Amino acid sequence: MRKALILTGFNPYSVTGGIETFTQTLIDLLNSSGVNPELACASGFENAYNLKHEFIGQVYAAGRSLSALPSDRYKFILCNGYYGGGYFPKKFKTFTVFHSTHAAYAEAIKGLVPLSTYLEIRFIVGELFEQTAASGAKIIAVSKSVRCELERY
């Protein structure tokens, strides 16, 4: 059986949310297509790089962990948006699914949150992590509006 890896933030069987629901559906779809999906959830990694923001450190560590895997282990990898941050260079065929962009989100909340929060969302997640996740990957936008966001940012 062919194997695929889904790189995401949280275990979709223990956390409820939109991306987790998407991930559960994707797992079912892959299984029914003869592909055995495995999960790598950032929440299960340690912030091994001691980044100031704990979860950002976990996301980065999850992505970096892929560099140690043999290049024939997976048929492909699917990243849920910025959860692919830290995964570079791409050694597997990779698809990055964008459910939104954090750059657009940051602009929408600018002035409503502290400047440090805006800067983190806009530049660390919205620029660094999302661009790293997209670099070298096939990009999938879940809607036309997300596609427009991706083109804008």
Side-chain angles (χ1 to χ4, degrees), residues 35-136:
V35 176
N36 179 24
E38 294 179 7
L39 284 172
C41 303
S43 60
F45 282 78
E46 289 187 31
N47 178 8
Y49 297 89
N50 296 315
L51 298 181
K52 183 177 179 182
H53 188 286
E54 183 67 22
F55 187 65
I56 294 296
Q58 290 175 297
V59 170
Y60 187 75
R64 295 306 305 146
S65 73
L66 301 181
S67 64
L69 298 175
S71 59
D72 61 349
R73 178 150 181 189
Y74 297 107
K75 180 79 173 160
F76 64 89
I77 292 181
L78 187 135
C79 302
N80 274 324
Y82 83 95
Y83 296 128
Y87 169 35
F88 61 87
K90 305 288 191 277
K91 62 193 277 189
F92 301 96
K93 183 176 187 177
T94 303
F95 300 89
T96 300
V97 178
F98 282 94
H99 305 265
S100 66
T101 67
H102 283 75
Y105 173 65
E107 293 308 316
I109 63 169
K110 187 176 184 178
L112 301 174
V113 296
L115 179 61
S116 61
T117 301
Y118 163 78
L119 293 172
E120 181 179 287
I121 293 169
R122 177 68 170 89
F123 295 104
I124 302 299
V125 178
E127 295 283 333
L128 181 63
F129 274 27
E130 286 182 340
Q131 287 185 18
T132 300
S135 178

